[in-house]
Amino acid sequence: MIDWETKGEIALATINRPERRNALDAEHCETLRALLQEHVDVRAVVITGAGSAFCAGADLGTRFEDGHDAADSGDPFHTVLQVLLEAVVDHPAPVLAAVNGPALGAGTQLASVCDLRVAARDAVFGVPAARLGIMISAGSTERIARLVGLAAAQEMLLTGRRFDAAEALAMGLVHRVVDDALADAVAWADEVAALAPLSVRGHKRALNLVARSGGLDDDAEAEIADLVERAVRSDDLREGVAAFAEKRAPVFRGR
C-alpha cells in the first residue's frame, strides 16, 4: 500500500509495507507513480517508509516468481522501477526523501532521484545488485555516480558494501542526518512550499536539464529563458518585492 496524505501545500507519500520492510514490487511502483502524476499541483512531496525502514529494495518474493525465467522474458520490475524514478525526477515540485531506516537497492535508487534527502542516524544505504546477479539501470548508475562521485560509486556498485548515514552525508548522498528524518523532511518541505512556486519549479527544471546533458544546449537554454521570463512577469515577483519592502512574509500564489 502507498499512503498519500496532503497537508496544506505539501504531500506525504508513505510506502506502507512494514512486514516486507517496504520492499517495492511492480504494483507499488506503479501506484506511487500514478499518485505523483495525479498530484502535480502540490508545492513539495515527501516520500518515506512505514515502520523502521525506508525501502529494503525490490520485493524478491514477487520479482522473480515461480516460473519466471528472466533470461527469456527479462525483468518487468526493472522497467516499472525506471518509470517511477523518472516520475520523481520529472515531478514539477521538489520531492524530498525522508530516509527513516535502511534504503537498499531500489531504496537507494529511489532516494537518489529525490531533490532533497534527509536521513535518520541509523539509516543505511547500499546497492547489493552484484550479490544477486543483477544490474541497475544506466540512469541510476549515472545519478548515483553524479551524486557521490565516481570513486564512491565504484565502491558501492562493485563491492555491494553498505554505507551508514554519516558516510552517506560525507559523500553527498544525503543533505542532512537528523534524529527524526520524517519530521525534519516535512518541516523542510513546508519551508520550500512557502517559497515562490514558479522560482522553485523553474530551478528544479533547470537543474534537471543541466544534470541530464552535462551542460546546456540551445533548446535547454531557450526553455530556461522562458522560465526566467515567466518568473519575472509573475504576480509572485511583485509580491516578493512588496513583502521585502514592507518587512513581512510574502504570500506566493504561483502565478
Side-chain angles (χ1 to χ4, degrees):
M1 177 184 300
I2 305 292
D3 295 333
W4 186 277
E5 180 181 3
T6 302
K7 299 182 174 183
E9 299 287 357
I10 75 169
L12 173 62
T14 304
I15 306 169
N16 192 355
R17 304 185 76 203
E19 75 285 356
R20 301 293 294 171
R21 303 284 282 169
N22 301 320
L24 288 172
D25 58 16
E27 178 183 355
H28 288 83
C29 287
E30 173 56 24
T31 299
L32 181 52
R33 182 211 60 78
L35 286 166
L36 288 166
Q37 188 172 45
E38 181 182 350
H39 296 87
V40 295
D41 294 330
V42 295
R43 296 191 182 181
V45 178
V46 177
I47 298 176
T48 194
S52 60
F54 176 72
C55 172
D59 188 342
L60 297 180
T62 59
R63 184 170 184 174
F64 300 114
E65 297 174 323
D66 291 342
H68 176 89
D69 187 343
D72 292 335
S73 57
D75 181 0
F77 173 80
H78 179 90
T79 300
V80 177
L81 175 63
Q82 303 320 305
V83 174
L84 168 60
L85 299 180
E86 290 300 326
V88 174
V89 173
D90 291 337
H91 195 277
V95 180
L96 293 81
V99 185
N100 54 306
L104 301 172
T108 287
Q109 293 177 70
L110 178 59
S112 74
V113 296
C114 292
D115 302 288
L116 300 169
R117 298 167 297 279
V118 180
R121 299 192 189 282
D122 60 352
V124 179
F125 299 84
V127 180
R131 300 179 185 274
L132 298 170
I134 57 177
M135 282 186 64
I136 65 174
S137 71
S140 287
T141 302
E142 179 186 17
R143 278 186 287 262
I144 290 172
R146 189 169 63 239
L147 279 177
V148 306
L150 183 60
Q154 288 168 326
E155 184 174 7
M156 180 179 290
L157 298 180
L158 301 184
T159 73
R161 185 169 86 79
R162 297 184 179 191
F163 297 80
D164 63 27
E167 291 174 308
L169 179 64
M171 68 172 61
L173 185 56
V174 299
H175 295 91
R176 299 178 177 179
V177 175
V178 298
D179 292 327
D180 189 331
L182 179 57
D184 189 271
V186 169
W188 205 1
D190 282 331
E191 292 177 15
V192 171
L195 302 174
L198 294 180
S199 297
V200 173
R201 290 176 175 231
H203 284 139
K204 173 171 178 173
R205 177 58 180 164
L207 288 166
N208 282 344
L209 288 170
V210 171
R212 283 176 173 172
S213 63
L216 294 175
D217 58 22
D218 291 343
D219 289 342
E221 288 192 1
E223 182 177 348
I224 293 171
D226 287 341
L227 293 169
V228 171
E229 184 67 16
R230 185 181 176 195
V232 167
R233 294 180 179 277
S234 69
D235 292 339
D236 278 352
L237 174 59
R238 288 186 283 276
E239 166 63 10
V241 172
F244 179 81
E246 297 165 12
K247 295 182 172 56
R248 61 173 174 82
V251 179
F252 296 115
R253 305 294 184 186
R255 56 178 186 266

